Amino acid sequence: AQSVAQPEDQVNVAEGNPLTVKCTYSVSGNPYLFWYVQYPNRGLQFLLKYITGDNLVKGSYGFEAEFNKSQTSFHLKKPSALVSDSALYFCAVRDAGNNRKLIWGLGTSLAVNP
Amino acid sequence: DVKVTQSSRYLVKRTGEKVFLECVQDMDHENMFWYRQDPGLGLRLIYFSYDVKMKEKGDIPEGYSVSREKKERFSLILESASTNQTSMYLCASIIGQGAEGYTFGSGTRLTVV
């Protein structure tokens, strides 16, 4: 069965420190992977995606993600966290059986402490 | 930039009312989706549509219906609102086969009392 796991419900990090939000996936074939961010009472905003090519993908707001095929992971990273990065982060993979649909993780709440 | 607009940010309705949630996108996307978001449950797909007048059930269609009379507009209908439909509702659209990812609206927080 296809799935996305975000093993941490919450991540806490001090401002200025590096941050990592973890995501692992299970899907047949080559995965199309996405990260989205949601600020309080707002819709989701696209951060970055991996389709093919370089395993390190750069996205909006200084975020990047590393695709690791052997570990079936797509962790979101940022070298230096900001308080304004505090939000809910969702990982998703395109459904191999229906390309238009995404399979979502349950989300990870990131809290960056000043 | 593609814009997906949901007509209401906050809505309070009474149990048993018929509720319409409207979503409009301005970039000629074929595909539109309705999700609900609840704490601890993530995003759950209610219905989606690939073209005008077509619709497909998602994972939790019970108690909902949809309408897509025009390409740019996708409406979610709660036939008889119940308190367990209190939730954040998110509309999204994509072009083609989804390689570009979804564009979301700002969401409608619906409270059924």
Side-chain angles (χ1 to χ4, degrees):
Chain A
Q2 302 179 101
S3 64
V4 173
Q6 294 182 240
E8 299 154 319
D9 290 337
Q10 180 148 347
V11 170
N12 294 293
V13 65
E15 188 174 28
N17 282 2
L19 70 87
T20 298
V21 182
K22 295 179 181 177
C23 173
T24 58
Y25 65 91
S26 173
V27 69
S28 57
N30 294 320
Y32 283 33
L33 294 153
F34 302 86
W35 275 103
Y36 286 81
V37 60
Q38 185 181 33
Y39 298 101
N41 293 312
R42 305 292 297 183
L44 278 69
Q45 296 178 32
F46 171 80
L47 272 181
L48 51 78
K49 66 180 179 183
Y50 173 83
I51 294 177
T52 186
D54 194 347
N55 289 344
L56 187 64
V57 179
K58 294 191 184 299
S60 306
Y61 312 122
F63 283 92
E64 57 191 26
E66 186 168 13
F67 171 65
N68 187 317
K69 188 171 184 177
S70 63
Q71 297 186 5
T72 62
S73 67
F74 189 55
H75 300 332
L76 182 70
K77 300 181 180 186
K78 188 173 183 182
S80 178
L82 300 172
V83 172
S84 57
D85 292 330
S86 299
L88 190 56
Y89 291 82
F90 288 95
C91 180
V93 66
R94 196 173 75 167
D95 186 332
N98 184 331
N99 288 341
R100 298 175 180 91
K101 293 172 66 177
L102 291 179
I103 299 166
W104 296 89
L106 293 182
T108 298
S109 179
L110 173 67
V112 181
N113 307 305
Chain B
D1 277 355
V2 176
K3 281 216 167 86
V4 177
T5 303
Q6 294 182 233
S7 54
S8 304
R9 290 295 307 281
Y10 299 94
L11 215 49
V12 180
K13 295 293 182 181
R14 295 198 179 277
T15 301
E17 275 193 76
K18 190 169 186 176
V19 181
F20 293 85
L21 302 184
E22 305 288 345
C23 176
V24 177
Q25 50 94 4
D26 66 358
M27 276 298 286
D28 206 35
H29 283 182
E30 304 93 347
N31 310 289
M32 298 186 75
F33 303 80
W34 274 107
Y35 286 91
R36 64 176 284 177
Q37 181 183 13
D38 301 287
L41 297 177
L43 276 70
R44 292 181 291 168
L45 182 62
I46 305 171
Y47 267 97
F48 56 103
S49 170
Y50 295 153
D51 203 348
V52 176
K53 294 194 184 295
M54 73 80 56
K55 60 188 178 186
E56 286 198 31
K57 293 180 180 179
D59 300 317
I60 53 162
E62 296 78 19
Y64 303 93
S65 63
V66 290
S67 172
R68 191 148 181 219
E69 296 296 318
K70 293 185 177 181
K71 192 173 187 179
E72 67 270 19
R73 185 181 296 271
F74 191 36
S75 303
L76 180 69
I77 304 156
L78 286 66
E79 297 292 343
S80 177
S82 64
T83 55
N84 63 14
Q85 292 178 309
T86 292
S87 186
M88 172 71 114
Y89 289 88
L90 295 167
C91 176
S93 72
I94 57 167
I95 193 166
Q97 294 294 309
E100 297 305 312
Y102 288 12
T103 300
F104 281 87
S106 295
T108 297
R109 186 165 291 283
L110 173 67
T111 302
V112 182
V113 297

